[in-house]
């Protein structure tokens, strides 16, 4: 039998040692707690806000140094155990206790309440919340307040400034305004003398140091001064700026009072040129038309390409040009007519039409406008377009004549500018038709009268489909299928192009999803994006929504942008294109070769392919220049690792040339016209879709 080892003896119990260890541990914990409390107390004492805690009877349990000093004590120990009734007047103490007891009884916080300070002037923003123990029981209240005196003072000064500005806007009589302004300042600045001194006549009685604020006139001279006696608190933040603002407001009021006649003049005249404005023109033209024997011609004049002057030389140069043009027109008209500037670069001329042909006089006006002029050392020559309507044939009402002249002007500009066009009834009919078409277009958007046709794109090497472009069509209930050439310009003019772009995007994504769900092969869908749509900040969100609603893989969607669009603002275009690329879609340039992009800018765009504009394809192979340009574009695209597609291909000779250049794909009548969705489905069912992959360049 094996002998078992004897068990180890239990450690001897040492009561004195264990107690000593326990006491040491407790002392360590106590020291740590004391250190934490002191650190927390020091931190709270450095906070400038007032922070305190009270028990349910309103006795102070804690207060930071800001509270202690504000209540006239030196240490927090002097405040502990006291109530507000022992510190503040009885009424104030009752108000404080009522709020705090409500917080304690209801458990609801009282936050962000603005109150007057009980000691000294000023305002506090008070917040009070229940104080709870570890079990959640409410044992008191915690309060915090912030001094908002400076903010309230700023609001008071702002309200005063607003009141003075409102008085100016209401046209309060000047003497009353000045009196009210002085009384308002004396109320805001108690104990200080305030004086408004005009035209160098100073009031007596101010013999103390003072602050002076100039009351400026519109032309930079001085109406006088606002004088305020200086006291020790004039250094109050924002007060000097406020008084300077008041002095400026007084100057505005004086200008308004003294310029009543000028204001009346400007109500009926153009401020820049001094010519009558539309209001005065309508009245004078109406007076002329009321006399039966008066026959007049109304000529609507618009400067050609005036925006280029503003963009290249600045608005100051543009204003100077408008003044020169106004003077030249006035000189030609003399006293036998009326000249008006109705805004921008538009003028209206009214001349007598008593048996004489007005066109020679209008040509002299156009010739006068076209004479070169020198502005800031730059010679400028500007032409004009003129539309004319006669009271003998085109209306006896001022508004009708002006509207008809405007229609004729539109026709003159549409014909190439630098022309004079006489109104004809056909123009009115065309305008009426346009308005009806715009109404129809708005209704078409609401009623969803639009559908898509699709034009397949052919991969040159394989002969198979490499992509499809979505093209919008308008199915008018009466007129039938309307060409985009007719309604797209109207959509761009009215801004409806943005909504139409969203319609195309949504329908194209849903159609491709439907083809995929029916078992047809995946193919890239190209959708055009208009300039107006591209500039919309919401475009990336709209694209994402269309993809999400259709469940379409973003890699199958290609957005086509015009070259001229992205060249208008290269940096902005790059930023927007990168937003779109982050969605996973591909981007291409449509109509490439028409927007004057350079290699240095083109390589910055996060593109997948470029589309050669049809204008370079039409005359191939008969035009060597177009052939050279097309070859260069293909080479450029491939150098930048971009796929190149040509549009508008209609002959085998054009297709053969593109194949020789190495162009990747083409679309056009040679392969297929734009087709309804059902026909495209049949093509896809019998075709092997080519997915052209190139190395992706970083976005």
């Amino acid at each position: 039998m094996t002998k078992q080892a004897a068990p180890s003896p239990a450690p001897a119990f040492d009561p004195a040692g264990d107690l000593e260890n326990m006491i040491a541990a407790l002392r360590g914990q106590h020291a740590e707690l004391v250190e934490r409390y002191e650190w927390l107390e020091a931190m709270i004492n450095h906070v400038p806000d007032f922070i305190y805690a009270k028990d349910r009877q309103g006795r102070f349990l804690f207060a930071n140094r800001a509270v202690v000093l504000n209540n006239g004590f030196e240490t927090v120990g002097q405040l502990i155990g006291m109530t507000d009734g022992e510190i503040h007047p009885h009424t104030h103490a009752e108000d404080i206790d009522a709020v705090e007891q409500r917080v304690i009884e209801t458990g609801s916080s009282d936050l962000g309440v603005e109150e007057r300070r009980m000691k000294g002037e000023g305002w506090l923003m008070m917040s009070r919340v229940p104080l709870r123990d570890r079990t959640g029981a409410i044992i008191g209240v915690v309060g915090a307040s912030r001094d908002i005196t400076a903010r309230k003072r700023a609001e008071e000064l702002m309200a005063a400034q607003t009141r003075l500005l409102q008085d100016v806007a209401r046209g309060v009589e000047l003497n009353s305004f000045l009196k009210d302004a002085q009384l308002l300042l004396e109320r805001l600045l108690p104990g200080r003398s305030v004086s408004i001194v005009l035209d160098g006549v100073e009031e007596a009685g101010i013999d103390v140091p003072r602050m002076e604020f100039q009351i400026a006139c519109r032309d930079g001279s001085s109406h006088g001064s606002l004088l305020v006696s200086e006291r020790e608190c004039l250094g109050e933040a924002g007060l000097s700026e406020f008084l300077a603002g008041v002095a400026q407001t007084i100057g505005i009021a004086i200008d308004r009072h003294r310029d009543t006649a000028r204001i009346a003049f400007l109500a009926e005249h153009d401020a820049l040129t001094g010519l009558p404005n539309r209001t005065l023109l309508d009245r004078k033209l109406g007076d002329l038309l009321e006399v039966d024997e008066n026959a007049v011609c109304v000529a609507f004049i618009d400067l050609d390409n005036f925006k280029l002057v503003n963009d290249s030389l600045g608005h100051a140069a543009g204003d100077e040009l408008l003044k020169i043009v106004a003077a030249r027109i006035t000189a030609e008209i003399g006293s036998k007519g009326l000249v008006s500037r109705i805004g921008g670069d538009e003028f209206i001329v009214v001349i007598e039409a008593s048996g004489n042909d007005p066109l020679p006089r209008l040509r002299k006006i156009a010739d006068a406008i076209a004479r070169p002029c020198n502005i800031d050392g730059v010679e400028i020559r500007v032409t004009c377009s003129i539309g004319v309507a006669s009271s003998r044939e085109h209306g006896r009402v001022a508004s009708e004549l002006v509207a008809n002249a405007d229609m004729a002007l539109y026709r003159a500009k549409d014909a190439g500018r630098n022309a004079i066009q006489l109104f004809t009834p056909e123009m009115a009919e065309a305008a009426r038709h346009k308005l009806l078409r715009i109404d129809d277009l708005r209704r078409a958007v609401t009623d969803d009268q639009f559908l898509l046709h699709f034009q397949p794109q052919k991969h040159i090497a394989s002969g198979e489909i490499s992509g499809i472009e979505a093209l919008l069509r308008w199915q008018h209930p009466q007129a039938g299928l309307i060409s985009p050439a007719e309604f797209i310009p109207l959509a761009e003019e009215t801004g409806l192009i943005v909504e139409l772009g969203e319609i195309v995007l949504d329908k194209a994504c849903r159609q491709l999803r439907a083809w995929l769900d029916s078992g047809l092969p995946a193919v890239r869908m190209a959708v055009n994006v208009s300039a107006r749509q591209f500039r919309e900040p919401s475009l990336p969100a709209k694209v994402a929504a269309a993809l999400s609603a259709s469940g379409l893989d973003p890699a199958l969607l290609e957005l086509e942008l015009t070259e001229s669009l992205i060249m208008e603002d290269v940096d902005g275009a790059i930023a927007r294109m990168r937003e779109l690329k982050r969605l996973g879609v591909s981007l291409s340039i449509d109509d490439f070769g028409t927007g004057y992009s350079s290699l240095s800018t083109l390589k910055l765009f996060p593109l997948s392919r470029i589309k050669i504009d049809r204008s370079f394809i039409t005359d191939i192979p008969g035009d060597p220049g177009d052939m050279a340009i097309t070859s260069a574009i293909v080479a450029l695209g491939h150098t930048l690792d971009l796929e190149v597609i040509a549009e508008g291909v209609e002959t085998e000779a054009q297709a053969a040339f593109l194949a020789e250049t190495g162009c990747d794909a083409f679309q056009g009548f040679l392969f297929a016209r734009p087709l309804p969705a059902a026909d495209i489905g049949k093509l896809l069912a019998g075709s092997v879709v080519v997915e052209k992959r190139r190395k992706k360049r970083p976005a």
Side-chain angles (χ1 to χ4, degrees):
M1 186 173 180
T2 305
K3 184 178 180 180
Q4 295 181 348
S8 300
F13 175 64
D14 183 3
D18 288 349
L19 180 60
E20 184 176 327
N21 291 336
M22 185 181 300
I23 292 173
L26 290 174
R27 283 175 178 170
Q29 292 177 3
H30 175 72
E32 183 179 351
L33 289 174
V34 169
E35 182 180 2
R36 288 183 180 179
Y37 175 80
E38 289 175 348
W39 176 81
L40 180 62
E41 183 179 34
M43 180 180 68
I44 294 177
N45 280 332
H46 278 84
V47 175
D49 294 349
F50 302 104
I51 303 173
Y52 65 86
K54 297 178 184 176
D55 63 17
R56 296 182 68 95
Q57 286 71 45
R59 295 186 292 263
F60 279 94
L61 298 173
F62 171 79
N64 71 345
R65 186 163 183 78
V67 175
V68 172
L69 297 179
N70 186 63
N71 286 286
F73 297 101
E74 295 182 359
T75 66
V76 67
Q78 296 172 309
L79 187 60
I80 300 301
M82 298 187 71
T83 66
D84 281 304
E86 299 172 278
I87 302 173
H88 304 300
H90 181 68
T91 304
H92 292 323
E94 284 187 339
D95 292 342
I96 296 172
D97 188 60
V99 175
E100 294 178 344
Q101 286 303 315
R102 184 170 66 250
V103 171
I104 292 172
E105 295 301 326
T106 65
S108 299
S109 301
D110 186 71
L111 304 174
V113 179
E114 296 180 356
E115 299 179 1
R116 286 268 187 190
R117 295 186 65 154
M118 289 178 291
K119 292 190 176 183
E121 297 182 356
W123 287 83
L124 297 174
M125 178 176 285
M126 302 290 300
S127 294
R128 301 173 177 93
V129 299
L131 175 63
R132 301 177 186 271
D133 62 14
R134 292 182 179 179
T135 67
I138 297 175
I139 60 174
V141 64
V142 175
S145 60
R146 173 167 293 177
D147 191 329
I148 59 170
T149 303
R151 195 199 78 191
K152 296 291 286 186
R153 177 61 166 172
E155 290 175 354
E156 183 182 34
L157 297 180
M158 183 177 294
Q161 179 74 6
T162 300
R163 175 182 161 184
L164 292 177
L165 288 171
Q166 288 173 339
D167 286 347
V168 172
R170 290 189 296 112
V172 173
E173 194 274 328
L174 183 61
N175 288 335
S176 296
F177 174 83
L178 294 176
K179 182 178 180 181
D180 290 346
Q182 184 164 347
L183 291 175
L184 180 63
L185 290 175
E186 288 174 349
R187 180 178 62 80
L188 290 171
L189 307 173
R192 298 186 188 139
S193 298
V194 177
S195 181
I196 299 173
V197 180
L198 302 180
D199 298 327
V201 180
E202 183 172 338
E203 290 185 354
I206 299 183
D207 54 1
V208 296
R210 64 191 182 187
M211 295 287 289
E212 181 174 349
F213 301 90
Q214 184 187 42
I215 300 174
C217 182
R218 183 186 297 113
D219 61 8
S221 61
S222 176
H223 287 304
S225 299
L226 170 64
L227 304 176
V228 180
S229 60
E230 190 173 9
R231 293 288 184 266
E232 63 279 358
C233 56
L234 194 59
E236 174 187 335
L239 185 57
S240 292
E241 291 82 357
F242 164 72
L243 292 172
V246 170
Q248 184 180 19
T249 304
I250 293 172
I252 294 171
I254 296 171
D255 285 336
R256 180 165 185 159
H257 174 76
R258 295 182 178 180
D259 293 346
T260 301
R262 174 65 178 167
I263 292 171
F265 175 84
L266 291 177
E268 294 187 328
H269 292 78
D270 172 48
L272 179 66
T273 64
L275 294 176
N277 61 15
R278 181 65 182 269
T279 302
L280 183 55
L281 170 75
D282 286 346
R283 191 174 79 245
K284 289 193 172 186
L285 180 55
D287 292 342
L288 285 172
L289 293 173
E290 284 181 1
V291 182
D292 290 339
E293 61 268 20
N294 285 339
V296 299
C297 282
V298 174
F300 209 126
I301 302 175
D302 183 89
L303 302 185
D304 298 330
N305 300 314
F306 175 74
K307 185 175 182 295
L308 291 177
V309 177
N310 277 337
D311 291 346
S312 58
L313 300 180
H315 287 276
D319 288 347
E320 185 62 28
L321 177 59
L322 290 173
K323 288 190 284 187
I324 292 172
V325 169
R328 290 179 178 180
I329 297 175
T330 302
E332 289 295 331
I333 292 298
S335 60
K336 296 182 179 180
L338 176 64
V339 185
S340 170
R341 178 182 177 229
I342 62 171
D345 59 336
E346 296 178 330
F347 298 83
I348 289 180
V349 170
V350 179
I351 57 178
E352 295 180 3
S354 54
N356 297 322
D357 182 2
L359 293 184
R361 292 188 66 187
L362 294 175
R363 288 194 184 96
K364 289 182 67 177
I365 292 174
D367 291 342
I369 292 173
R371 290 200 308 267
C373 59
N374 190 290
I375 299 177
D376 294 335
V378 178
E379 184 174 276
I380 298 174
R381 188 190 302 266
V382 62
T383 59
C384 68
S385 300
I386 303 177
V388 190
S390 169
S391 64
R392 281 206 180 106
E393 305 170 84
H394 309 134
R396 296 290 301 178
V397 179
S399 58
E400 183 181 9
L401 276 175
V402 171
N404 289 341
D406 191 17
M407 281 187 235
L409 169 66
Y410 182 84
R411 183 64 60 86
K413 294 176 75 69
D414 197 45
R417 298 184 172 88
N418 193 18
I420 302 174
Q421 179 69 55
L422 186 65
F423 173 79
T424 64
E426 290 76 18
M427 294 178 188
E429 178 59 27
R432 188 186 71 82
H433 176 75
K434 179 180 177 180
L435 289 175
L436 291 176
R437 186 63 78 197
I438 289 174
D439 286 341
D440 282 352
L441 188 59
R442 295 186 190 280
R443 192 176 301 109
V445 172
T446 303
D447 297 345
D448 191 21
Q449 296 175 7
F450 296 96
L451 54 85
L452 295 185
H453 282 186
F454 304 88
Q455 188 170 36
Q457 299 166 342
K458 182 178 181 179
H459 184 248
I460 293 177
S462 68
E464 302 296 341
I465 294 175
S466 63
I468 293 175
E469 181 177 5
L471 301 168
L472 187 63
R473 298 292 185 265
W474 178 6
Q475 185 65 56
H476 193 280
Q478 286 80 41
L481 209 59
I482 298 178
S483 166
E486 183 175 346
F487 68 84
I488 290 298
L490 286 180
E492 291 176 339
E493 185 178 335
T494 59
L496 289 172
I497 193 67
V498 175
E499 293 179 72
L500 291 185
E502 294 171 10
I503 290 173
V504 176
L505 183 64
D506 183 67
K507 288 181 179 292
C509 290
R510 290 182 184 275
Q511 182 59 65
L512 183 52
R513 180 72 265 171
W515 284 330
L516 295 173
D517 291 343
S518 67
L520 294 175
V523 62
R524 178 172 49 191
M525 177 70 76
V527 175
N528 286 285
V529 176
S530 69
R532 178 77 174 270
Q533 189 181 6
F534 184 72
R535 296 188 191 100
E536 287 289 319
S538 61
L539 176 61
K542 297 291 186 182
V543 174
L547 291 169
S548 175
S550 62
L552 189 67
D553 181 355
L556 294 177
L557 177 63
E558 178 179 82
L559 301 180
E560 290 192 354
L561 314 171
T562 63
E563 185 182 13
S564 57
L565 162 64
I566 61 177
M567 290 307 298
E568 288 178 3
D569 176 12
V570 172
D571 292 339
I574 291 173
R576 177 54 49 84
M577 292 167 76
R578 286 176 175 168
E579 284 185 81
L580 294 169
K581 285 290 288 184
R582 283 194 287 271
L583 298 176
V585 303
S586 59
L587 302 174
S588 69
I589 292 184
D590 192 14
D591 302 333
F592 186 80
T594 62
Y596 309 107
S597 59
S598 64
L599 179 61
S600 61
T601 55
L602 185 61
K603 68 181 182 180
L604 299 175
F605 299 126
L607 300 168
S608 299
R609 67 173 175 170
I610 56 178
K611 181 183 286 188
I612 304 173
D613 186 66
R614 66 177 61 246
S615 63
F616 299 113
I617 305 299
T618 302
D619 294 330
I620 291 175
D623 189 324
D626 285 346
M627 295 172 68
I629 292 173
T630 300
S631 297
I633 292 175
V634 173
L636 173 63
H638 289 168
T639 298
L640 296 175
D641 197 29
L642 300 176
E643 184 180 346
V644 182
I645 180 173
E647 63 177 347
V649 178
E650 300 183 358
T651 69
E652 291 290 352
Q654 292 168 347
F657 173 75
L658 291 171
E660 290 176 9
T661 64
C663 186
D664 299 290
F666 74 83
Q667 70 183 81
F669 290 176
L670 178 63
F671 182 47
R673 292 175 176 271
L675 299 170
D679 293 341
I680 292 294
K682 294 175 184 177
L683 281 178
L684 289 175
S687 173
V688 176
V689 176
V690 175
E691 185 178 357
K692 183 74 172 177
R693 288 188 175 91
R694 288 186 173 275
K695 186 177 70 174
K696 301 293 185 181
R697 294 190 300 123

